[in-house]
Amino acid sequence: MKITAAITGIGSYVPDYVLTNQELEKMVDTTDEWITSRTGIKERRILKGEDQGTSVLGTKAVQQLLEKTGTRPDEIELLICATTTPDVLFPATANIISNAVGITKAFSYDMNAACSSFLFALATGAQFIQAGTYKKVVVVGADKMSSIVDYTDRANCILFGDGAGAVLLEPNTEGYGLLDQVLRTDGSGEAYLHQKAGGSRRPPTHETVERREHYIYQEGATVFKFAVKSMADVAAQVMERNHLGNDDVAWLVPHQANKRIIDATAHRMGVGPEKVMLNIQRYGNTTNGTIPLCLADYESQLRRGDNLILAAFGGGFTWGSVYLKWAYDYKAVS
């Protein structure tokens, strides 16, 4: 029988510290009304403390995932960490997470495709399951976006927060799990959404730091237009080739970049707001944490057999959509 890769459990974590719009009003020239009306964000979580990197977020999410699913760390055969903000350039943040949670019989690596990394990693992890190579794969989406946000830039600092989510992929022969995906990149988009310095092309110097070139740079209007069109197009393509109408879709799970982008994407797809997962108001844009955090927040509402359309868009540009048939009914963990 055909093997598919099904999500059989979810874990998540967000830091305790809440950065509200009211606090941002004291940092930059902005208002709660302005932020809310343009982004839909009311607050975001920030990871505080020395030596606290993305791996801290990912570790907490994976620990919760293993506990909820009753999975031993030594049962995991592969861990992929989708992140744009690795702890360090090497070793991989995935390696650090694996070590922290006691995963010792697996290999692990990072996936970086900006905000689309989680979808790319999910599709990649599924291939190992579908090929019969592995039976238990963990995909983590985690980012400490506060580490690359310029808190003097009022256009960008209002958008981002820190958080992580993790899913367990296992084989399924009943038709549940990842059934299709459309994944795309267009490197010409680099000019509109990128980080200017910090890599091998422009290593850190006193000058790059002084010019604040290690933060997020984006041209908002261009990114908005491309994000809406790209996410809607690939989501519609996935639906069309799997003969799914709007009534067949239980949930749209969009990357939580900006509520206006989410609303415009759903409108173009013809999906009503009652079918759109939304938590940007509480967490902001956690980049690779957004989609798994949505799944975690809505887990109790998901039912076995639900058709989910996941969609994301990221810098560089990257974008994609995944068709997923949900594999289990929610059971509260006591």
Side-chain angles (χ1 to χ4, degrees):
M1 297 181 67
K2 181 180 179 180
I3 297 174
T4 55
I7 291 177
T8 57
I10 310 172
S12 64
Y13 176 75
V14 292
D16 293 332
Y17 187 87
V18 179
L19 177 59
T20 64
N21 289 349
Q22 287 73 24
E23 186 173 350
L24 282 171
E25 288 178 346
K26 301 174 183 178
M27 299 165 61
V28 292
D29 182 16
T30 192
T31 65
D32 170 61
E33 189 279 331
W34 192 91
I35 297 171
T36 303
S37 64
R38 285 163 176 77
T39 70
I41 302 169
K42 299 296 290 187
E43 58 189 37
R44 63 289 292 149
R45 301 298 184 97
I46 304 296
L47 182 62
K48 296 281 191 176
E50 294 184 9
D51 297 322
Q52 301 289 293
T54 294
S55 65
V56 173
L57 304 167
T59 295
K60 296 280 191 181
V62 173
Q63 286 173 333
Q64 186 190 81
L65 170 67
L66 297 178
E67 180 180 343
K68 285 174 62 178
T69 58
T71 305
R72 299 191 315 273
D74 63 3
E75 293 182 89
I76 303 303
E77 299 161 288
L78 168 63
L79 184 145
I80 308 173
C81 179
T83 186
T84 307
T85 55
D87 281 23
V88 289
L89 289 179
F90 66 91
T93 300
N95 298 11
I96 299 171
I97 293 171
S98 293
N99 182 63
V101 300
I103 293 175
T104 58
K105 296 182 179 179
F107 84 99
S108 55
Y109 60 89
D110 289 352
M111 174 79 72
N112 183 358
C115 297
S116 303
S117 305
F118 181 78
L119 283 194
F120 286 20
L122 194 66
T124 303
Q127 301 303 311
F128 286 94
I129 297 288
Q130 292 166 9
T133 308
Y134 299 125
K135 296 187 184 304
K136 291 184 184 292
V137 172
V138 170
V139 179
V140 191
D143 271 301
K144 183 184 178 183
M145 294 306 294
S146 63
S147 67
I148 58 171
V149 167
D150 182 353
Y151 284 98
T152 67
D153 177 1
R154 70 172 186 167
N156 281 322
C157 73
I158 63 174
L159 298 173
F160 297 96
D162 306 335
V167 299
L168 178 63
L169 294 177
E170 295 186 278
N172 186 278
T173 57
E174 301 175 288
Y176 301 106
L178 276 76
L179 301 182
D180 198 8
Q181 66 274 319
V182 176
L183 308 174
R184 296 285 184 266
T185 61
D186 180 356
S188 66
E190 177 188 2
Y192 307 106
L193 180 51
H194 62 270
Q195 186 176 348
K196 293 181 180 297
S200 60
R201 183 169 62 186
R202 299 189 65 200
T205 64
H206 287 296
E207 289 75 23
T208 62
V209 172
E210 289 172 357
R211 289 195 293 264
R212 311 183 79 81
E213 294 181 347
H214 296 265
Y215 297 120
I216 300 164
Y217 169 83
Q218 68 172 320
E219 294 184 15
T222 302
V223 172
F224 180 91
K225 293 176 183 177
F226 206 101
V228 173
K229 182 180 187 306
S230 300
M231 286 172 59
D233 284 352
V234 290
Q237 185 177 348
V238 164
M239 290 171 62
E240 182 178 352
R241 71 187 194 186
N242 288 279
H243 311 291
L244 296 172
N246 296 332
D247 292 340
D248 299 315
V249 176
W251 294 99
L252 169 64
V253 192
H255 169 51
Q256 308 286 296
N258 179 310
K259 190 173 184 297
R260 291 192 300 165
I261 293 177
I262 295 169
D263 290 344
T265 301
H267 178 73
R268 280 191 51 139
M269 292 174 59
V271 176
E274 72 283 356
K275 291 185 174 184
V276 180
M277 290 191 185
L278 191 71
N279 61 13
I280 192 173
Q281 67 277 14
R282 297 201 309 276
Y283 305 137
N285 181 356
T286 58
T287 303
N288 291 298
T290 65
I291 287 178
L293 279 171
C294 274
L295 293 175
D297 283 355
Y298 283 79
E299 185 183 18
S300 63
Q301 300 181 51
L302 296 174
R303 297 293 177 264
R304 192 178 192 213
D306 278 354
N307 290 318
L308 277 59
I309 301 295
L310 284 55
F313 175 85
F317 289 133
T318 64
W319 68 100
S321 182
V322 166
Y323 168 34
L324 174 73
K325 189 176 285 289
W326 198 247
Y328 65 94
D329 291 321
Y330 174 76
K331 292 182 180 179
V333 177
S334 59

